[in-house]
């Protein structure tokens, strides 16, 4: 069967790779891949910034945002709650098996050893292929009603974790956040906007592109009641005067400069959650003493959040129920480009005007 793969460490080595169709072992599902989402992580792996092949292989199958259908049950699952035909999304990170209590308790997204593996990223093949097998421990059912948006569950889970961690941290005090900023209006930024609006927060979504009806990102943010602000019209340095201080910041811009400058908008006792990978190098002049003083005197918290375990995937599906009732079709509108499997090279070129690109691996019968 065909798979989209790269040769780790070799820039622009993406190609079609023939691999054997897997057979499910006991406790595993055989999943036919319907769609995979294209993420900035995939593009960085293609640029050879990171990405590691499985042991004994010289290639890595891409894709960590999956959506598929169960086509066969492994031994022992005959009387389980899984059935052929179920829609499924699988998690990304796998436990390290190095006596890490986090991994052993199902929290491999918080692995302490760094010896975890990740589908399509680190030492484990991804989902950009026709079939894969998966343990039910890492498989999450998707209700048929969400067939059109199932591929968005992985990025939704990333946001669910970020927001959950912020609220968990704030159990240190009686915290009732009213206002939030989301830096970035890509898939993660918009999903964060939707989830925070669902929680009733006043949300400002900050991005580079000018707003207006021609900007779908601005349109979607505003449709759920957020305020979209372009940094071309209001520079970061002037944002505090317009928005005021906020209780929560979700940073999803992919810019370290935005992350550090954005701290200026954080209120006393506020939390900033960093969710984006910031590759490359960028020199920024900051006063570390003033930054330290601000965070310390303000009881502020800056926390990184990466990946998600199955708890957050399940929470994401629950949030979808509410979001769909409030703003029907909002989630589906995040998917702005769908391309067939044979157009994988085009799909892996960043779409500057759209939001989420999806590669259709198999047309469902």
């Amino acid at each position: 069967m065909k798979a989209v793969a790269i040769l780790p460490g070799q820039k622009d080595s993406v190609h079609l790779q023939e691999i054997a169709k897997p057979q499910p072992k006991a406790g595993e599902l055989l999943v036919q891949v319907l769609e995979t989402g294209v993420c900035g992580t995939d593009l960085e792996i293609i640029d050879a910034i990171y990405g590691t092949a499985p042991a004994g292989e010289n290639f890595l199958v891409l894709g960590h945002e999956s959506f598929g259908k169960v086509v066969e049950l492994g031994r022992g699952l005959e009387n389980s709650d899984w059935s052929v035909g179920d829609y499924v999304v699988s998690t990304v990170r796998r436990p390290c098996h190095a006596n890490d209590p986090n991994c052993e308790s199902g929290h491999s997204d918080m692995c302490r050893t760094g010896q975890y593996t990740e589908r399509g990223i680190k030492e484990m093949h991804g989902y950009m292929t026709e079939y894969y097998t998966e343990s039910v421990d890492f498989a999450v059912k998707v209700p048929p009603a969400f067939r059109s948006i199932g591929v968005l569950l992985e990025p939704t889970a990333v946001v669910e974790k970020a927001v959950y961690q912020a609220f968990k941290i704030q159990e240190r005090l009686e915290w009732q956040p009213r206002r939030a900023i989301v830096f970035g209006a890509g898939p993660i930024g918009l999903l964060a906007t939707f989830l925070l609006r669902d929680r009733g927060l006043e949300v400002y979504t900050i991005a580079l592109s000018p707003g207006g009806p021609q900007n779908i990102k601005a349109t979607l943010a505003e449709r759920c009641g957020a305020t979209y602000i372009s940094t071309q019209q209001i520079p970061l340095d002037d944002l505090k005067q317009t928005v005021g201080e906020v209780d929560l910041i979700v940073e999803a811009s992919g810019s370290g400069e935005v992350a550090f400058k954005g701290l200026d908008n954080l209120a006393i006792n506020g939390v900033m959650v960093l969710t984006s990978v910031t590759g490359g190098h960028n020199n920024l002049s900051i006063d570390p003493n003033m930054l330290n003083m601000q965070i310390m005197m303000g009881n502020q918290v800056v926390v990184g959040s990466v990946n998600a375990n199955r708890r957050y995937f399940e929470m994401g599906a629950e949030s979808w129920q509410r979001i769909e009732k409030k703003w029907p079709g909002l989630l589906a509108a995040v998917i702005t480009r769908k391309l067939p499997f044979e157009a994988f090279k085009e799909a892996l070129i960043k779409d500057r005007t759209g939001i989420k690109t999806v590669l259709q691996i198999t047309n469902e019968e």
Side-chain angles (χ1 to χ4, degrees):
M1 65 179 187
K2 294 180 174 59
V4 178
I6 57 99
L7 303 176
Q10 296 186 32
K11 188 174 181 179
D12 299 327
S13 63
V14 65
H15 63 281
L16 274 185
Q17 178 82 33
E18 283 290 336
I19 60 175
K21 181 179 176 180
Q23 298 298 316
K25 300 175 183 176
E28 289 186 341
L29 307 169
L30 177 62
V31 179
Q32 182 181 37
V33 181
L34 301 177
E35 298 176 341
T36 57
V38 176
C39 172
T41 297
D42 300 314
L43 306 185
E44 289 161 353
I45 292 172
I46 291 170
D47 281 341
I49 296 174
Y50 48 87
T52 313
E57 304 272 17
N58 68 347
F59 65 92
L60 172 70
V61 176
L62 289 176
H64 60 277
E65 297 181 5
S66 70
F67 178 69
K69 182 171 65 174
V70 176
V71 294
E72 186 179 340
L73 303 178
R75 183 168 46 84
L77 296 179
E78 298 85 356
N79 298 314
S80 71
D81 61 351
W82 284 97
S83 302
V84 169
D86 285 342
Y87 291 123
V88 59
V89 166
S90 293
T91 63
V92 179
R93 186 172 289 188
R94 299 292 180 270
C96 64
H97 304 296
N99 298 317
D100 173 17
N102 289 343
C103 286
E104 290 173 357
S105 63
H107 296 86
S108 56
D109 56 318
M110 304 293 281
C111 177
R112 296 175 61 189
T113 69
Q115 297 177 39
Y116 57 82
T117 57
E118 289 179 316
R119 287 277 200 170
I121 302 172
K122 183 176 183 284
E123 300 172 18
M124 196 173 188
H125 289 315
Y127 304 116
M128 211 169 279
T129 185
E130 297 174 79
Y131 295 89
Y132 69 90
T133 54
E134 186 63 272
S135 165
V136 292
D137 293 338
F138 306 111
V140 181
K141 281 188 184 180
V142 177
F146 295 140
R147 164 66 181 86
S148 64
I149 58 172
V151 74
L152 295 177
L153 190 53
E154 192 276 337
T156 301
V158 169
V159 176
E160 286 282 4
K161 176 183 175 181
V163 173
Y164 176 88
Q165 294 293 335
F167 275 76
K168 193 70 175 174
I169 288 166
Q170 292 298 56
E171 290 180 5
R172 62 191 177 140
L173 47 84
E174 296 298 325
W175 194 57
Q176 295 181 332
R178 296 179 297 108
R179 183 182 297 148
I181 281 176
V182 176
F183 285 114
I188 295 295
L190 285 174
L191 290 169
T193 297
F194 303 162
L195 263 63
L196 292 173
R197 284 294 301 132
D198 176 53
R199 285 176 174 259
L201 275 71
E202 176 185 348
V203 180
Y204 294 84
T205 304
I206 315 299
L208 179 62
S209 303
Q214 302 304 314
N215 184 341
I216 187 171
K217 299 175 181 180
T219 299
L220 295 183
E222 291 167 356
R223 185 179 164 197
C224 70
T227 299
Y228 180 92
I229 296 176
S230 166
T231 54
Q232 292 187 36
Q233 297 162 327
I234 300 177
L236 278 176
D237 291 338
D238 299 332
L239 189 61
K240 188 174 180 180
Q241 298 171 240
T242 302
V243 174
E245 294 182 329
V246 299
D247 306 299
L248 173 61
I249 295 175
V250 177
E251 202 295 306
S253 71
S255 167
E257 179 179 357
V258 171
F260 279 101
K261 285 189 174 182
L263 270 169
D264 189 48
N265 298 275
L266 197 60
I268 289 175
N269 304 325
V271 179
M272 172 185 268
V273 188
L274 307 176
T275 69
S276 61
V277 176
T278 51
H281 301 279
N282 183 18
N283 293 321
L284 177 66
S285 178
I286 61 172
D287 185 336
N289 289 335
M290 289 299 294
L291 185 62
N292 178 78
M293 186 70 73
Q294 173 192 328
I295 295 172
M296 183 274 295
M297 292 295 291
N299 287 312
Q300 295 173 334
V301 176
V302 180
V303 60
S305 181
V306 64
N307 209 275
N309 64 53
R310 68 173 302 126
R311 170 205 292 182
Y312 304 111
F313 282 73
E314 292 166 352
M315 288 170 59
E318 292 174 3
S319 293
W320 281 0
Q321 299 275 5
R322 297 189 301 272
I323 291 170
E324 279 296 296
K325 287 182 180 179
K326 294 176 182 177
W327 308 290
L330 186 68
L331 290 160
V334 171
I335 301 173
T336 51
R337 185 172 64 155
K338 285 192 175 186
L339 294 172
F341 197 2
E342 57 269 22
F344 70 93
K345 287 191 176 180
E346 182 182 352
L348 292 168
I349 297 173
K350 188 170 184 177
D351 182 7
R352 298 288 179 181
T353 58
I355 305 171
K356 170 60 72 177
T357 293
V358 168
L359 191 62
Q360 295 179 300
I361 305 295
T362 306
N363 291 321
E364 190 174 10
E365 297 178 359

